Amino acid sequence: MTKTETKSTVLLKHHLKTLKLPTMHHECEKIAQRCAADNVDHLADLLQLSELELIERERKAAERRLKAARFPTAKLLDEFDFAARPSVNNPLILELLKGEYLDRRENLLLVGPSGTGKTHLATALGMAACAQGRKVRFYRVTELITLLMEAKDERNLLRLRQQLAKLGLLILDELGYVPASKAGAELLFDVIATAYERSSLVVTTNLPFENWTEVLGSERLTGTALDRLTHRCHILETNGESYRLQDAKRRRRST
Ligand code: ADP
Ligand code: MG
């Protein structure tokens, strides 16, 4: 390498760093050598470098989105045994996986008893949405209500609401497991009402519709929330007994 080349390499690396192009910075010499060996022109060299930068940038962004979504455990649809849950509409899940319902701001309600795969399906759909570049956040309902109440006390409610409003998909897991306080239910309904027509909600619940008022309180508020939630909504029922129980029984039979 000549003296001027060394100088220009140093300068180039400096500029790439300033421009926040770490992959180009890291790979430029390697690619330049390869291009020289293959007799490829400078533009092709730049093209390869910028492609690497883009790929790396997207990978990091996807990683960040996944982390920010805070799924309790990673779950994929591939791991879901549809044969064990015949009540689940398989074609609908596969359709939802494509994510077009999110563009249409449609909601999904997963209703069924405990252990029947509601959280699993909600997570798998959420992870797919993350991979498609959408902002997703997973909350257990009790956790979100606590956060909302704390934010209200600390006068931070507006900020939390603004954060929630930026999401493409809000997942509310376990609605109705614990009866909400009146103030808590009101804050939650407010989130649901705000999300309505702006983004999509995926809600899991073990509560049949007729019991919603009993658990969530106020007939009027529950009515409004239910009305909004179920407008443009897909409903999936996960009937039957707990998957783990089924699994344990199957194993016992086979031994
Ligand atoms: P729910 O949210 O309805 O209470 P979960 O989604 O938490 O149920 O399921 C309980 C456990 O059983 C999880 O580990 C989940 O991955 C697993 N599971 C449930 N249904 C299935 C299924 N059909 N195929 C594979 N694993 C399942
Ligand atoms: Mg669950």
Side-chain angles (χ1 to χ4, degrees), residues 94-107:
L94 294 178
E95 176 59 34
L96 292 173
L97 208 63
K98 291 190 215 153
E100 286 158 17
Y101 73 108
L102 297 165
D103 295 324
R104 296 191 296 265
R105 293 161 174 68
E106 291 165 356
N107 300 323

Side-chain angles (χ1 to χ4, degrees), residues 12-251:
L12 172 67
K13 288 188 127 187
H14 174 264
H15 294 340
L16 289 173
K17 214 171 182 173
T18 312
L19 288 165
K20 295 198 167 36
L21 299 165
T23 307
M24 288 179 83
H25 175 266
H26 188 247
E27 301 289 326
C28 63
E29 282 168 304
K30 217 189 293 169
I31 296 277
Q33 275 163 16
R34 200 183 310 153
C35 285
D38 297 347
N39 218 357
V40 180
D41 66 34
H42 286 11
L43 281 180
D45 173 4
L46 257 182
L47 178 64
Q48 274 199 33
L49 267 179
S50 52
E51 273 169 0
L52 281 180
E53 186 71 52
L54 281 172
I55 291 167
E56 187 56 16
R57 206 173 263 195
E58 176 45 38
R59 193 190 62 75
K60 278 196 187 137
E63 215 174 75
R64 270 198 303 274
R65 281 195 301 273
L66 211 54
K67 211 168 157 201
R70 309 252 192 115
F71 297 111
T73 27
K75 295 279 176 188
L76 298 173
L77 202 62
D78 290 353
E79 301 156 354
F80 193 82
D81 178 2
F82 281 97
R85 193 66 55 205
S87 68
V88 169
N89 181 341
N90 185 346
L92 174 60
I93 288 280
L94 294 178
E95 176 59 34
L96 292 173
L97 208 63
K98 291 190 215 153
E100 286 158 17
Y101 73 108
L102 297 165
D103 295 324
R104 296 191 296 265
R105 293 161 174 68
E106 291 165 356
N107 300 323
L108 168 67
L109 198 57
L110 289 152
V111 193
S114 178
T116 52
K118 301 182 297 295
T119 303
H120 187 134
L121 291 171
T123 305
L125 288 172
M127 287 178 65
C130 270
Q132 289 154 5
R134 300 173 205 268
K135 271 196 172 178
V136 180
R137 180 71 163 87
F138 181 110
Y139 288 104
R140 287 182 52 196
V141 168
T142 46
E143 174 200 1
L144 179 60
I145 290 180
T146 307
L147 281 176
L148 287 164
M149 304 267 265
E150 279 170 8
K152 196 179 174 203
D153 288 344
E154 292 157 16
R155 301 182 179 280
N156 264 334
L157 197 54
L158 188 66
R159 227 179 92 214
L160 180 55
R161 279 202 188 124
Q162 281 168 343
Q163 281 170 9
L164 294 171
K166 282 188 201 145
L167 296 171
L169 170 62
L170 174 60
I171 302 176
L172 301 177
D173 195 32
E174 301 189 353
L175 181 77
Y177 275 71
V178 186
S181 70
K182 186 165 174 290
E186 276 176 17
L187 287 167
L188 177 71
F189 290 156
D190 183 65
V191 168
I192 293 176
T194 312
Y196 175 66
E197 289 198 331
R198 258 202 242 175
S199 58
S200 293
L201 287 163
V202 168
V203 177
T204 82
T205 183
N206 61 341
L207 271 188
F209 290 137
E210 57 270 24
N211 298 356
W212 278 42
T213 322
E214 179 192 320
V215 177
L216 303 172
S218 167
E219 203 158 317
R220 184 181 54 81
L221 278 177
T222 307
T224 316
L226 243 183
D227 203 48
R228 301 209 158 168
L229 195 60
T230 53
H231 181 220
R232 292 197 303 196
C233 181
H234 304 277
I235 297 175
L236 262 169
E237 289 186 48
T238 57
N239 295 326
E241 81 184 345
S242 147
Y243 180 77
R244 290 209 177 111
L245 204 65
Q246 278 181 332
D247 211 36
K249 281 185 186 167
R250 222 174 309 153
R251 260 177 239 180

